[in-house]
Amino acid sequence: MSDHREFEAEREKIDFLLEQGYVISGVTENLSGAFVEFQYKGNESDKSEKERLHILHPDTRKYFSTILVQQQKKQSVK
């Protein structure tokens, strides 16, 4: 898979989860990439759905970092 295609594939996974109502709830970075944890924040119900993505591409790491900063700004405004 080409370098750019790898970035696009990871970005699409992130975008899909965000469109489904998930928010980034945690990030763990190590030498093998970043593990981004998402928590479902759509309908406030009893169940707490979580997803986890393993991000390898550096551009995707920048991408989710930007999203995380935007999320934090929204929370601080509330």
Side-chain angles (χ1 to χ4, degrees):
M1 182 180 299
S2 75
D3 192 48
H4 184 69
R5 183 63 196 132
E6 181 181 327
F7 162 68
E8 286 180 347
E10 290 180 344
R11 186 189 69 202
E12 288 171 3
K13 290 176 187 175
I14 291 170
D15 288 344
F16 176 77
L17 288 173
L18 295 173
E19 289 172 5
Q20 298 301 311
Y22 287 83
V23 294
I24 298 173
S25 61
V27 177
T28 304
E29 295 196 63
N30 57 33
L31 295 176
S32 66
F35 293 92
V36 184
E37 297 174 14
F38 294 83
Q39 185 162 358
Y40 185 70
K41 292 291 184 183
N43 241 350
E44 296 299 323
S45 63
D46 299 324
K47 66 179 183 177
S48 176
E49 295 181 39
K50 294 183 179 182
E51 294 287 334
R52 188 175 189 191
L53 294 179
H54 186 195
I55 303 299
L56 300 171
H57 198 278
D59 288 338
T60 313
R61 293 167 90 167
K62 292 178 201 173
Y63 180 71
F64 79 71
S65 296
T66 303
I67 293 169
L68 187 56
V69 169
Q70 291 172 348
Q71 261 182 212
Q72 291 173 337
K73 284 182 181 179
K74 285 181 184 178
Q75 289 177 350
S76 67
V77 172
K78 289 182 180 180

